[in-house]
Amino acid sequence: MAKTEKTASKKKSYLKQIIITLVVLTGPIWGLSLLLFLTSLGTFGTLPSVAQISNPQTKLATEIITEDGEVLGTFYRENRTTASFDEISPFLISALVATEDERFFQHSGIDARALARAVYGLGNRGGGSTLTQQLAKMQFNDPARNIVQRIGQKLGEWIIAVQLERLYTKEEIIALYLNQFDFLYQAVGINSAARVYFNKKPIDLRVEEAAVLVSMAKNPSLYNPRRYPERAKQRRDQVFVQMVKNGMMSEAEKDSLQELPIQLEFRPQSHTAGLAPYFREYLRGYMKDWIKTYEKQTGNDIDLYTGGLKIYTTINAEMQQNAEEAVNEHMGNLQRIFNIIKKDRKYGPYYFDTDPAGKVRKILDQAMRRTQRYRGLKKNGASADSIRTVFNTAIPMTVFSWEGDRDTVLSPMDSIMYYKGLYQVGMMSMEPQTGYVKAWVGGNDYQYFKYDHVKQGKRQVGSTFKPFVYASAIIEKNYSPCMQVPNAKICIEKGEYGLMEDWCPSNSDDEYGGTRSLKDALANSMNTVTTFLMKQIGPRPVIKMAREMGITSDIPEAPSIALGTVDLSVYEMVGSYTTFANKGRYVEPIMITRIEDKNGVVLEEFTPKTNQVIGEKEAYAVLKLLMGVTEDGTGQRLRHNLGKKFYRNDAVTGYPYGFTNEIAGKTGTTQNNSDGWFMGVVPNLITGVWTGCEDRAAHFGGGWGTYYGQGATTALPIWAVYMKKNYENPKLGISMDPFERPKGRLDIDVDCEGISTGGGVINFDEEEF
């Protein structure tokens, strides 16, 4: 009996050992299974539904796309835009898989071998997370507050990873991962990262560039190539090692690539940097209004910053670059000359005939009160005297200059005077037949100057308005460009149009006598002839025509508008000139061709408004008048070398430019040279340029300043440099052909030779005027 009990006892002990062994061996599996089951039930936190996993709510930036397919910029909270798998460089795919998940194409979301290795090595031999698990973490988990929460998240990521593998192909998972990853510097997703670090599209990344971005996947801050280039290179080189290990690169290729330094073309994305910032800011305001209207009409909500819209614009990236470069090249030179001229002035850029001290003090005081520094001090209860002390105490600061940001020490009041003495610019270029705006430069530098001189700014347009008067005279009186008009001082008497005294404008050269053709008179911007035309037709026909040509700003019914005393924007002026270049038909400028949602559905397409203002023959007659400006008038430096005999420093303007094609144009210079303009037209491109200081009282003075302050010197060279750059690339399609002549008999004499009187002669008694 004892023997039987002993045997039974041994059997029980053996069975107990088996049970314990099984528990030890299978317990973790059962425990893990139980944890996964509890996780799936939401015990450790709610998991996303299948619908949420298949349609993750990713915040997508709105893209601004140029007509030539470049991304001009984005509106975003997270600067994320998506790229499909076939838009990503194969080098990027290979480097990512080799480095982050070697068996990515073999597992189903969880790599058991990698997991076991991570557990066995306690994390010292690499992590066990697959790319799919990492994607689950990025999409659905915020940073854990403690280790317990992180364990719960990790279990959830396994479940989500398996579901992701069921819902998506491997290629789609890679694209989702790369579109989700934050590469720093507002570069969320591979599209933004490729642009920010290398100024490329993801498909164009070379293997060494792809490896840099993949190296950041381990820790983007630690291996930031911008801040830690040596550390980033070491990690990049390790990516090459992994690619060799996985048969994606030869040993020789690795050795060669490891010799290369990291070469970034770093372009951080922001709303103030990059191409066309003034245009992008205008577009932001436009889109906010458009979204309100769209939501009201459709009932569908759209978020400009997270909705992933695609805004297809008319801007041409290369022409925009050319425009910005032309502005930089000329304005830096112009500023240098202005600085020399104003250097010895007691009141810097300002030029007052009476009470200069009082007027300058008033301007600077008003500017001081508009600053954030002043408002902050005032809000905190600072006294007027203490505020003055602050504004007159020198402090370190960084200021704008055409040579780049400049660190200096200035008092806030001195910095105000410094900025008041900087010449500003506004420039817009558009295609007259379509209304497409190709380039938009709203100022010197958006980081420092937020005011847009294309759409917001309105300044006196000077002689660039005279073609409106000439065109009205051609329509109303059937005048010809070749018609001869006596060059005599003309007066419009007191009482007419509400004038308080006689109005008798002078020519800039104050020379009179003989007769001049209308073409010659406009070419040389003769005020007497323009005044004569205004006397013949009055301001009303001119205002009516200007309205039909897209001018919406206030135009007073006064004869002085003939000389351009009206304040208009660059946007309005460029748009209005389409009437002359487009056979008498005004075409409204447009900046957007279509807007799509994140799925590519077109929400709206845009076409410009048009209006037939004058006949084709009359429009051509005005073009012939404007061609005289560049052939033998104030714009002739576009063609002819006028030589140093007349100008001290050819480098200021950069001429002769040597254009040989037909160019219609008009310079404009306002009172005291406060504003300089040039409107330049070729058959398929109109470009307007304005230059001037922030305050009208700041300008070039007398003497040589009179020459340098003219539109022919301040604004025309920008047009010339811009067009030179455009013509260097024939693919841009900017015409060098003659303007198209209307078919059939013109009925208007436009082919003036010398002082031909083919257009007739106006005879009058000078005393009558």
Side-chain angles (χ1 to χ4, degrees):
M1 189 71 179
K3 185 176 182 181
T4 303
E5 289 178 355
K6 189 174 181 181
T7 302
S9 176
K10 285 183 177 180
K11 286 181 179 181
K12 286 181 181 179
S13 177
Y14 181 67
L15 181 61
K16 184 178 180 180
Q17 289 177 3
I18 292 175
I19 292 171
I20 291 172
T21 302
L22 288 173
V23 169
V24 171
L25 292 175
T26 65
I29 298 174
W30 287 105
L32 182 59
S33 299
L34 178 61
L35 286 172
L36 288 171
F37 176 71
L38 293 174
T39 301
S40 68
L41 295 178
T43 304
F44 304 110
T46 304
L47 292 180
S49 66
V50 173
Q52 290 173 316
I53 293 172
S54 58
N55 294 287
Q57 296 299 309
T58 302
K59 295 177 181 179
L60 295 177
T62 289
E63 290 185 286
I64 307 164
I65 302 170
T66 65
E67 69 159 7
D68 42 345
E70 298 293 327
V71 176
L72 191 61
T74 52
F75 298 133
Y76 58 84
R77 288 196 178 91
E78 290 181 354
N79 188 24
R80 184 204 319 275
T81 57
T82 58
S84 62
F85 184 82
D86 57 6
E87 293 174 327
I88 299 171
S89 168
F91 298 128
L92 200 57
I93 308 300
S94 299
L96 181 66
V97 171
T99 308
E100 293 296 313
D101 193 349
E102 294 175 314
R103 283 174 294 281
F104 173 72
F105 289 101
Q106 284 75 51
H107 64 66
S108 297
I110 300 174
D111 186 348
R113 285 173 57 187
L115 182 60
R117 182 190 66 223
V119 172
Y120 181 76
L122 299 178
N124 296 321
R125 297 176 59 188
S129 292
T130 64
L131 281 175
T132 319
Q133 289 172 259
Q134 293 178 45
L135 173 60
K137 179 182 178 181
M138 286 190 289
Q139 285 189 324
F140 300 107
N141 283 334
D142 294 324
R145 293 188 296 270
N146 50 58
I147 186 64
V148 175
Q149 186 184 38
R150 181 63 196 128
I151 291 172
Q153 287 182 344
K154 193 74 173 178
L155 295 170
E157 288 162 14
W158 289 358
I159 295 171
I160 296 169
V162 172
Q163 290 177 316
L164 284 169
E165 292 276 350
R166 290 174 181 171
L167 291 167
Y168 296 104
T169 66
K170 290 289 187 178
E171 289 77 11
E172 288 171 334
I173 289 172
I174 283 181
L176 284 169
Y177 176 92
L178 289 171
N179 287 327
Q180 190 75 24
F181 194 84
D182 188 343
F183 292 88
L184 307 180
Y185 300 109
Q186 290 293 345
V188 183
I190 193 60
N191 248 339
S192 296
R195 285 202 305 271
V196 167
Y197 289 98
F198 298 105
N199 193 30
K200 289 184 175 182
K201 296 178 181 179
I203 192 66
D204 297 324
L205 291 170
R206 297 195 300 268
V207 62
E208 65 271 23
E209 295 165 338
V212 170
L213 296 180
V214 167
S215 70
M216 297 178 74
K218 186 173 180 66
N219 186 323
S221 297
L222 187 64
Y223 299 108
N224 177 349
R226 176 72 173 168
R227 294 190 63 187
Y228 309 113
E230 289 302 318
R231 190 186 298 166
K233 182 179 181 301
Q234 290 174 5
R235 179 62 186 168
R236 181 206 66 178
D237 292 349
Q238 186 59 37
V239 172
F240 296 148
V241 172
Q242 286 296 114
M243 293 179 74
V244 171
K245 176 184 172 184
N246 286 275
M248 299 169 177
M249 178 184 293
S250 70
E251 193 74 32
E253 288 174 314
K254 180 206 75 175
D255 292 341
S256 177
L257 288 168
Q258 286 182 337
E259 293 297 318
L260 298 176
I262 292 179
Q263 292 184 322
L264 302 178
E265 190 174 340
F266 187 65
R267 297 199 177 186
Q269 300 292 296
S270 75
H271 301 306
T272 62
L275 276 181
Y278 291 92
F279 169 75
R280 287 186 275 122
E281 192 56 31
Y282 163 77
L283 193 62
R284 183 202 304 275
Y286 176 89
M287 286 302 300
K288 287 181 179 179
D289 292 337
W290 180 87
I291 287 173
K292 287 180 183 178
T293 302
Y294 179 83
E295 289 179 338
K296 186 176 180 180
Q297 291 175 345
T298 65
N300 298 326
D301 292 335
I302 294 179
D303 191 310
L304 179 63
Y305 302 100
T306 63
L309 298 177
K310 284 185 169 54
I311 307 170
Y312 290 88
T313 73
T314 62
I315 297 292
N316 181 284
E318 183 172 345
M319 293 174 70
Q320 178 69 33
Q321 184 71 43
N322 290 344
E324 294 185 12
E325 288 177 0
V327 165
N328 291 342
E329 288 177 24
H330 177 67
M331 291 298 289
N333 226 351
L334 182 69
Q335 187 66 49
R336 177 175 59 83
I337 298 302
F338 187 49
N339 289 344
I340 292 171
I341 288 177
K342 70 182 177 69
K343 183 178 180 181
D344 297 326
R345 289 187 194 169
K346 184 176 181 181
Y347 301 104
Y350 293 104
Y351 203 89
F352 289 105
D353 294 326
T354 59
D355 187 26
K359 290 177 179 177
V360 171
R361 186 165 53 249
K362 183 178 180 181
I363 289 172
L364 296 181
D365 187 66
Q366 289 174 341
M368 178 188 72
R369 293 172 185 274
R370 289 195 295 268
T371 64
Q372 290 183 349
R373 177 180 277 108
Y374 178 88
R375 289 194 290 266
L377 291 168
K378 195 74 175 174
K379 186 177 180 180
N380 291 328
S383 67
D385 288 343
S386 62
I387 290 175
R388 289 282 178 190
T389 300
V390 169
F391 271 81
N392 286 290
T393 301
I395 57 174
M397 63 176 66
T398 302
V399 298
F400 166 85
S401 81
W402 286 108
E403 292 75 37
D405 294 351
R406 182 163 65 88
D407 293 328
T408 186
V409 177
L410 288 174
S411 72
M413 191 60 77
D414 285 339
S415 74
I416 291 173
M417 178 65 93
Y418 171 79
Y419 280 116
K420 291 290 189 180
L422 290 177
Y423 250 68
Q424 304 287 332
V425 65
M427 175 183 182
M428 190 178 100
S429 190
M430 70 174 285
E431 191 174 69
Q433 291 76 25
T434 62
Y436 289 179
V437 174
K438 302 290 188 177
W440 179 307
V441 183
N444 297 351
D445 186 322
Y446 189 77
Q447 180 179 346
Y448 290 94
F449 311 99
K450 300 295 190 287
Y451 192 76
D452 178 15
H453 291 288
V454 169
K455 197 76 162 60
Q456 286 179 286
K458 295 182 180 183
R459 295 288 282 258
Q460 284 191 359
V461 293
S463 295
T464 59
F465 195 80
K466 288 178 179 177
F468 293 72
V469 181
Y470 281 69
S472 299
I474 290 172
I475 299 298
E476 295 288 319
K477 297 292 187 178
N478 200 33
Y479 288 165
S480 155
C482 305
M483 185 184 74
Q484 298 286 314
V485 177
N487 177 25
K489 217 168 191 182
I490 310 297
C491 291
I492 296 180
E493 297 175 354
K494 180 175 68 173
E496 293 187 69
Y497 311 111
L499 290 175
M500 302 301 292
E501 57 185 21
D502 290 350
W503 185 63
C504 310
S506 303
N507 290 329
S508 60
D509 58 11
D510 211 26
E511 293 182 3
Y512 311 95
T515 62
R516 308 292 282 269
S517 71
L518 293 187
K519 183 177 181 181
D520 181 52
L522 184 64
N524 291 282
S525 215
M526 298 175 65
N527 292 336
T528 53
V529 174
T530 310
T531 306
F532 166 77
L533 295 177
M534 175 56 73
K535 189 174 181 70
Q536 305 306 303
I537 61 175
R540 284 190 181 179
V542 180
I543 295 171
K544 180 177 181 293
M545 179 175 289
R547 291 280 176 250
E548 293 176 348
M549 293 167 64
I551 302 297
T552 58
S553 297
D554 180 57
I555 306 177
E557 191 176 330
S560 60
I561 65 173
L563 305 185
T565 55
V566 61
D567 285 359
L568 302 177
S569 67
V570 172
Y571 177 88
E572 289 176 292
M573 286 301 295
V574 175
S576 69
Y577 269 57
T578 61
T579 306
F580 307 136
N582 194 37
K583 302 180 180 180
R585 179 177 291 274
Y586 163 73
V587 182
E588 179 188 39
I590 67 169
M591 288 68 76
I592 304 173
T593 55
R594 72 182 187 277
I595 299 172
E596 294 180 357
D597 69 10
K598 64 181 180 181
N599 299 314
V601 176
V602 177
L603 303 181
E604 186 173 351
E605 292 184 294
F606 298 81
T607 55
K609 297 175 183 176
T610 64
N611 179 35
Q612 192 70 42
V613 181
I614 58 179
E616 180 181 354
K617 295 177 181 179
E618 289 78 10
Y620 185 73
V622 177
L623 283 177
K624 292 295 283 188
L625 286 167
L626 294 171
M627 280 186 258
V629 174
T630 64
E631 291 166 357
D632 194 30
T634 56
Q636 63 179 294
R637 70 187 60 186
L638 292 173
R639 303 178 178 283
H640 310 299
N641 182 3
L642 303 182
K644 294 184 180 180
K645 173 181 177 182
F646 297 103
Y647 310 113
R648 290 193 304 179
N649 192 332
D650 285 350
V652 174
T653 57
Y655 66 81
Y657 302 105
F659 291 102
T660 58
N661 55 304
E662 286 187 351
I663 299 169
K666 189 68 193 81
T667 59
T669 309
T670 63
Q671 187 73 17
N672 295 325
N673 300 328
S674 294
D675 304 278
W677 289 78
F678 183 70
M679 301 295 299
V681 184
V682 296
N684 64 348
L685 195 68
I686 301 172
T687 305
V689 182
W690 166 85
T691 57
C693 289
E694 178 183 332
D695 298 320
R696 298 178 200 235
H699 52 75
F700 282 100
W704 278 104
T706 302
Y707 158 65
Y708 285 120
Q710 295 175 3
T713 307
T714 62
L716 177 146
I718 295 174
W719 185 91
V721 175
Y722 169 63
M723 292 301 289
K724 279 284 191 182
K725 291 176 181 290
N726 287 340
Y727 282 138
E728 286 173 1
N729 183 3
K731 291 182 180 179
L732 291 177
I734 309 302
S735 175
M736 296 190 74
D737 296 332
F739 291 97
E740 184 180 349
R741 190 182 181 97
K743 295 179 175 60
R745 191 168 181 272
L746 280 181
D747 299 326
I748 302 174
D749 188 3
V750 297
D751 298 313
C752 314
E753 296 292 339
I755 57 169
S756 167
T757 59
V761 179
I762 296 292
N763 294 308
F764 59 89
D765 182 351
E766 291 186 19
E767 293 184 1
E768 178 185 347
F769 297 92

Coordinates of all heavy atoms in Angstrom, one line a residue, residues 183-229:
F183 N 9.2 65.8 -40.2 CA 10.7 66.0 -40.4 C 11.2 67.3 -39.8 O 12.3 67.7 -40.2 CB 11.0 65.9 -41.9 CG 10.7 64.6 -42.5 CD1 9.5 64.2 -43.0 CD2 11.8 63.7 -42.6 CE1 9.3 63.0 -43.6 CE2 11.6 62.4 -43.2 CZ 10.4 62.1 -43.7
L184 N 10.4 68.0 -39.0 CA 10.8 69.3 -38.4 C 10.7 70.4 -39.4 O 10.5 70.2 -40.5 CB 12.2 69.2 -37.8 CG 12.5 68.1 -36.8 CD1 14.0 68.2 -36.3 CD2 11.6 68.1 -35.6
Y185 N 10.9 71.6 -38.8 CA 10.8 72.9 -39.6 C 9.5 73.0 -40.5 O 9.5 73.4 -41.6 CB 12.0 73.0 -40.6 CG 13.3 73.0 -39.8 CD1 14.2 71.9 -39.9 CD2 13.7 74.1 -39.1 CE1 15.4 71.9 -39.2 CE2 14.9 74.1 -38.4 CZ 15.8 73.0 -38.5 OH 17.0 73.0 -37.8
Q186 N 8.4 72.6 -39.9 CA 7.1 72.6 -40.5 C 7.1 71.8 -41.8 O 6.4 72.1 -42.8 CB 6.7 74.1 -40.9 CG 6.3 74.9 -39.7 CD 5.1 74.5 -39.0 OE1 4.3 73.7 -39.6 NE2 4.9 75.0 -37.8
A187 N 7.9 70.7 -41.8 CA 8.0 69.8 -42.9 C 7.3 68.5 -42.5 O 8.0 67.5 -42.1 CB 9.4 69.6 -43.4
V188 N 6.0 68.5 -42.5 CA 5.3 67.3 -42.1 C 4.9 66.5 -43.4 O 4.2 67.0 -44.2 CB 4.0 67.6 -41.3 CG1 3.3 66.4 -40.9 CG2 4.3 68.5 -40.2
G189 N 5.5 65.3 -43.5 CA 5.3 64.5 -44.7 C 6.4 64.7 -45.7 O 7.1 65.7 -45.7
I190 N 6.5 63.7 -46.6 CA 7.7 63.6 -47.5 C 7.7 64.7 -48.5 O 8.7 65.2 -48.9 CB 7.8 62.2 -48.1 CG1 9.2 62.1 -48.8 CG2 6.7 62.0 -49.1 CD1 10.4 62.2 -47.8
N191 N 6.5 65.2 -48.9 CA 6.4 66.3 -49.9 C 7.0 67.5 -49.3 O 7.9 68.1 -50.0 CB 4.9 66.5 -50.2 CG 4.6 66.2 -51.7 OD1 5.5 66.1 -52.5 ND2 3.3 66.0 -51.9
S192 N 6.6 67.9 -48.1 CA 7.2 69.1 -47.5 C 8.7 68.9 -47.2 O 9.5 69.8 -47.4 CB 6.4 69.4 -46.2 OG 5.1 69.7 -46.5
A193 N 9.0 67.7 -46.7 CA 10.4 67.5 -46.3 C 11.4 67.6 -47.5 O 12.4 68.2 -47.4 CB 10.6 66.1 -45.7
A194 N 11.0 67.1 -48.7 CA 11.8 67.1 -49.9 C 12.0 68.6 -50.3 O 13.1 69.0 -50.7 CB 11.2 66.3 -51.0
R195 N 10.9 69.4 -50.2 CA 11.0 70.8 -50.5 C 11.8 71.6 -49.5 O 12.7 72.4 -49.9 CB 9.6 71.4 -50.6 CG 8.8 71.1 -51.8 CD 7.7 72.1 -52.1 NE 6.8 72.3 -50.9 CZ 5.7 71.6 -50.6 NH1 5.4 70.6 -51.5 NH2 5.0 71.8 -49.6
V196 N 11.6 71.3 -48.2 CA 12.3 72.1 -47.2 C 13.8 71.9 -47.2 O 14.6 72.8 -47.2 CB 11.7 71.8 -45.8 CG1 12.6 72.4 -44.7 CG2 10.3 72.4 -45.7
Y197 N 14.2 70.6 -47.3 CA 15.6 70.2 -47.2 C 16.4 70.3 -48.5 O 17.6 70.5 -48.5 CB 15.8 68.9 -46.5 CG 15.4 68.9 -45.0 CD1 14.1 68.5 -44.6 CD2 16.3 69.3 -44.1 CE1 13.8 68.5 -43.3 CE2 15.9 69.3 -42.7 CZ 14.7 68.9 -42.3 OH 14.3 68.9 -41.0
F198 N 15.7 70.0 -49.6 CA 16.4 69.8 -50.8 C 15.8 70.6 -52.0 O 16.3 70.5 -53.1 CB 16.6 68.3 -51.2 CG 17.3 67.5 -50.2 CD1 16.7 66.7 -49.3 CD2 18.7 67.7 -50.1 CE1 17.4 65.9 -48.4 CE2 19.4 67.0 -49.2 CZ 18.8 66.1 -48.3
N199 N 14.7 71.3 -51.7 CA 14.0 72.1 -52.8 C 13.7 71.2 -54.0 O 13.9 71.6 -55.1 CB 14.8 73.3 -53.2 CG 14.0 74.2 -54.1 OD1 12.8 74.4 -53.9 ND2 14.7 74.9 -55.0
K200 N 13.1 70.0 -53.7 CA 12.8 69.0 -54.8 C 11.5 68.4 -54.5 O 10.9 68.5 -53.4 CB 13.9 67.9 -54.8 CG 15.2 68.4 -55.4 CD 16.2 67.1 -55.5 CE 17.5 67.5 -56.1 NZ 18.4 66.4 -56.3
K201 N 11.0 67.7 -55.5 CA 9.8 66.8 -55.3 C 10.4 65.5 -54.8 O 11.5 65.1 -55.1 CB 9.1 66.6 -56.6 CG 8.5 67.9 -57.2 CD 7.8 67.6 -58.5 CE 7.2 68.9 -59.1 NZ 6.5 68.7 -60.4
P202 N 9.6 64.7 -54.1 CA 10.1 63.4 -53.5 C 10.6 62.5 -54.6 O 11.6 61.7 -54.4 CB 8.8 62.8 -52.8 CG 8.0 64.0 -52.5 CD 8.2 65.0 -53.6
I203 N 10.0 62.5 -55.8 CA 10.4 61.6 -56.9 C 11.8 61.9 -57.4 O 12.5 61.0 -57.9 CB 9.4 61.6 -58.0 CG1 9.6 60.4 -59.0 CG2 9.4 62.9 -58.7 CD1 9.4 59.1 -58.4
D204 N 12.3 63.1 -57.2 CA 13.5 63.6 -57.7 C 14.7 63.4 -56.7 O 15.8 63.8 -57.1 CB 13.4 65.0 -58.2 CG 12.4 65.2 -59.3 OD1 12.3 64.3 -60.1 OD2 11.7 66.3 -59.3
L205 N 14.5 62.9 -55.6 CA 15.5 62.8 -54.6 C 16.6 61.7 -55.0 O 16.3 60.6 -55.4 CB 15.0 62.3 -53.2 CG 14.1 63.4 -52.5 CD1 13.4 62.7 -51.3 CD2 14.9 64.6 -52.0
R206 N 17.9 62.1 -54.9 CA 18.9 61.2 -55.1 C 19.1 60.3 -53.9 O 18.6 60.6 -52.9 CB 20.2 61.9 -55.4 CG 20.2 62.8 -56.7 CD 21.6 63.2 -57.1 NE 22.3 64.0 -56.1 CZ 22.3 65.3 -56.0 NH1 21.6 66.0 -56.9 NH2 22.9 65.9 -55.0
V207 N 19.9 59.2 -54.1 CA 20.0 58.2 -53.0 C 20.6 58.8 -51.8 O 20.1 58.5 -50.7 CB 20.8 57.0 -53.5 CG1 22.2 57.3 -53.9 CG2 20.8 55.9 -52.4
E208 N 21.6 59.7 -51.9 CA 22.2 60.3 -50.7 C 21.3 61.2 -50.0 O 21.3 61.4 -48.8 CB 23.5 60.9 -51.1 CG 23.4 62.2 -52.0 CD 23.5 61.8 -53.5 OE1 23.2 60.6 -53.8 OE2 23.9 62.7 -54.3
E209 N 20.4 61.9 -50.8 CA 19.4 62.8 -50.2 C 18.3 62.0 -49.5 O 17.8 62.3 -48.4 CB 18.8 63.7 -51.3 CG 19.8 64.6 -51.9 CD 19.4 65.3 -53.2 OE1 18.4 64.7 -53.8 OE2 19.9 66.3 -53.5
A210 N 17.8 60.9 -50.2 CA 16.8 60.0 -49.6 C 17.3 59.5 -48.2 O 16.6 59.4 -47.2 CB 16.5 58.9 -50.5
A211 N 18.6 59.1 -48.2 CA 19.2 58.5 -47.0 C 19.2 59.5 -45.8 O 19.0 59.1 -44.7 CB 20.6 58.0 -47.3
V212 N 19.4 60.8 -46.1 CA 19.4 61.8 -45.1 C 18.0 61.8 -44.4 O 17.9 61.9 -43.2 CB 19.7 63.2 -45.6 CG1 19.5 64.3 -44.6 CG2 21.2 63.2 -46.0
L213 N 16.9 61.8 -45.2 CA 15.6 61.9 -44.7 C 15.2 60.7 -43.9 O 14.6 60.7 -42.9 CB 14.6 62.2 -45.8 CG 14.8 63.6 -46.5 CD1 13.7 63.7 -47.6 CD2 14.7 64.7 -45.5
V214 N 15.6 59.5 -44.5 CA 15.3 58.2 -43.8 C 16.1 58.2 -42.4 O 15.6 57.6 -41.4 CB 15.7 57.0 -44.7 CG1 15.7 55.7 -43.9 CG2 14.7 56.9 -45.8
S215 N 17.3 58.7 -42.4 CA 18.0 58.7 -41.2 C 17.3 59.4 -40.0 O 17.5 59.1 -38.9 CB 19.4 59.3 -41.4 OG 19.4 60.7 -41.6
M216 N 16.5 60.4 -40.4 CA 15.8 61.2 -39.4 C 14.6 60.4 -38.8 O 14.1 60.7 -37.7 CB 15.2 62.4 -40.0 CG 16.2 63.4 -40.5 SD 15.5 64.9 -41.3 CE 14.9 65.8 -39.9
A217 N 14.2 59.2 -39.4 CA 13.1 58.4 -38.8 C 13.5 57.9 -37.5 O 12.6 57.7 -36.6 CB 12.8 57.3 -39.8
K218 N 14.7 57.7 -37.2 CA 15.1 57.1 -35.9 C 14.9 58.2 -34.8 O 14.4 57.8 -33.7 CB 16.6 56.7 -35.9 CG 17.1 56.0 -34.6 CD 18.5 55.5 -34.8 CE 19.0 54.8 -33.5 NZ 18.2 53.6 -33.3
N219 N 15.2 59.4 -35.1 CA 15.0 60.5 -34.1 C 15.3 61.8 -34.9 O 16.4 62.2 -35.1 CB 16.0 60.4 -32.9 CG 15.7 61.4 -31.9 OD1 15.3 62.5 -32.1 ND2 15.8 61.0 -30.6
P220 N 14.2 62.5 -35.3 CA 14.4 63.7 -36.2 C 15.2 64.8 -35.5 O 15.9 65.5 -36.2 CB 13.0 64.1 -36.5 CG 12.1 63.4 -35.5 CD 12.8 62.2 -35.1
S221 N 15.0 65.0 -34.2 CA 15.7 66.0 -33.5 C 17.2 65.7 -33.4 O 18.1 66.5 -33.6 CB 15.1 66.3 -32.2 OG 13.8 66.7 -32.3
L222 N 17.5 64.4 -33.0 CA 18.9 64.0 -32.8 C 19.7 64.0 -34.1 O 20.9 64.4 -34.1 CB 18.9 62.6 -32.2 CG 20.2 62.1 -31.7 CD1 20.8 62.9 -30.6 CD2 20.1 60.6 -31.3
Y223 N 19.0 63.6 -35.2 CA 19.7 63.5 -36.5 C 19.3 64.6 -37.5 O 19.1 64.4 -38.7 CB 19.5 62.1 -37.1 CG 20.1 61.0 -36.2 CD1 19.2 60.2 -35.5 CD2 21.4 60.9 -36.0 CE1 19.7 59.2 -34.6 CE2 22.0 59.9 -35.1 CZ 21.1 59.1 -34.5 OH 21.6 58.1 -33.6
N224 N 19.0 65.8 -36.9 CA 18.6 66.9 -37.7 C 19.8 67.4 -38.5 O 20.8 67.9 -38.0 CB 18.2 68.0 -36.7 CG 17.8 69.3 -37.4 OD1 18.1 69.5 -38.6 ND2 17.2 70.2 -36.7
P225 N 19.8 67.3 -39.9 CA 20.9 67.6 -40.7 C 21.2 69.1 -40.7 O 22.3 69.5 -41.1 CB 20.5 67.2 -42.1 CG 19.0 67.2 -42.1 CD 18.6 66.8 -40.7
R226 N 20.3 69.9 -40.3 CA 20.5 71.4 -40.3 C 21.3 71.8 -39.1 O 22.2 72.6 -39.2 CB 19.1 72.1 -40.3 CG 19.1 73.6 -40.2 CD 19.6 74.3 -41.4 NE 19.5 75.7 -41.3 CZ 20.1 76.6 -42.1 NH1 20.8 76.1 -43.2 NH2 19.9 77.9 -42.0
R227 N 20.9 71.2 -37.9 CA 21.6 71.6 -36.7 C 22.8 70.7 -36.4 O 23.8 71.2 -35.8 CB 20.6 71.5 -35.5 CG 19.5 72.5 -35.6 CD 18.7 72.6 -34.3 NE 19.6 73.0 -33.2 CZ 19.2 73.0 -31.9 NH1 18.0 72.5 -31.6 NH2 20.0 73.4 -31.0
Y228 N 22.8 69.4 -36.8 CA 23.8 68.5 -36.4 C 24.3 67.8 -37.7 O 24.1 66.6 -37.8 CB 23.4 67.5 -35.4 CG 22.7 68.1 -34.2 CD1 21.3 68.0 -33.9 CD2 23.4 68.9 -33.3 CE1 20.7 68.6 -32.8 CE2 22.8 69.5 -32.2 CZ 21.5 69.4 -31.9 OH 20.9 69.9 -30.9
P229 N 25.0 68.5 -38.6 CA 25.3 67.8 -39.8 C 26.3 66.6 -39.7 O 26.1 65.6 -40.4 CB 26.0 69.0 -40.6 CG 26.4 70.0 -39.6 CD 25.4 69.9 -38.5

